[in-house]
Amino acid sequence: FCSWALLYFSLVIFSVNTYLGKSTKNWLVISAGMATFLVLIFAILVLNGNLGFFQEQYDFVAHFHEVPRFSIKAVNIKVMVFAIVIFVLAIIDFVKFRKKGGGKIIIFRFMLLYFLVSLLINALQPVSSFLIIFSFMPGAVFLANYVETIKRPQLKEILLIIFILTPFILLFVEEMG
């Protein structure tokens, strides 16, 4: 469990603000739900005699100080390339959605916020490549939307083959080096 994953609650707040922001009742539902959860957890921890659970489990420390600045070892090149490619695809998708309009732009904003929160979680944790899995879902959405916009079937197939073979090539290069 990653303690920084609690940042995903910002998506709930963003969605309530987007769809139901004018109603005070909806904001009270979020507050009541969180309060109920915390009271139940506190009661369970008191009954088990483990009040220090949250202090042991959650350490909200940004690990920036453990990483030397601008070191090649400190920067996971594969994660950076993945983030840049997905961000470029997101920009292309955003431009295309903006021309079409409609309700897809709101869903796109949710995906972009989800992607940015996952990148923030990757930045706040020590250098590790397993946290990139948080950003696979929005990355897949951006990639699928981009592939749908390609008109020529041959180019679409070549691009899909490249995206399928890339992880295997990276794994092979990593094992050889």
Side-chain angles (χ1 to χ4, degrees):
F1 183 76
C2 173
S3 39
W4 285 105
L6 293 174
L7 290 173
Y8 285 114
F9 280 119
S10 64
L11 295 173
V12 174
I13 294 170
F14 182 75
S15 64
V16 168
N17 187 38
T18 301
Y19 290 112
L20 309 165
K22 295 179 181 171
S23 175
T24 309
K25 175 182 71 170
N26 297 315
W27 291 106
L28 292 175
V29 168
I30 291 175
S31 302
M34 290 177 67
T36 303
F37 174 75
L38 291 174
V39 166
L40 288 173
I41 289 294
F42 182 73
I44 290 170
L45 292 177
V46 166
L47 289 174
N48 288 335
N50 190 9
L51 285 176
F53 173 78
F54 285 116
Q55 191 173 12
E56 296 167 5
Q57 180 67 32
Y58 300 103
D59 66 341
F60 293 105
V61 176
H63 295 277
F64 291 125
H65 63 281
E66 296 176 8
V67 179
R69 291 184 176 214
F70 303 112
S71 167
I72 296 297
K73 291 180 182 176
V75 177
N76 193 340
I77 301 297
K78 290 183 281 190
V79 172
M80 287 185 60
V81 168
F82 173 77
I84 290 169
V85 166
I86 296 302
F87 195 69
V88 167
L89 290 174
I91 290 171
I92 293 169
D93 288 345
F94 183 70
V95 168
K96 297 209 185 250
F97 281 145
R98 199 167 186 125
K99 290 178 184 176
K100 290 181 182 178
K104 278 193 163 187
I105 196 78
I106 294 173
I107 296 170
F108 175 78
R109 287 180 183 156
F110 281 116
M111 287 294 113
L112 187 59
L113 181 62
Y114 185 93
F115 182 68
L116 294 175
V117 168
S118 66
L119 290 182
L120 179 65
I121 289 172
N122 275 300
L124 292 173
Q125 288 293 316
V127 176
S128 167
S129 59
F130 80 90
L131 290 174
I132 195 69
I133 200 163
F134 287 144
S135 61
F136 280 177
M137 192 268 298
V141 169
F142 295 142
L143 180 63
N145 284 329
Y146 176 70
V147 169
E148 283 180 0
T149 63
I150 298 174
K151 302 292 183 205
R152 297 189 326 211
Q154 295 87 5
L155 181 62
K156 190 183 291 190
E157 289 178 10
I158 290 171
L159 190 63
L160 288 174
I161 289 170
I162 289 171
F163 283 131
I164 290 171
L165 291 178
T166 300
F168 297 110
I169 293 170
L170 287 174
L171 180 65
F172 179 74
V173 169
E174 186 175 303
E175 291 296 321
M176 296 303 287

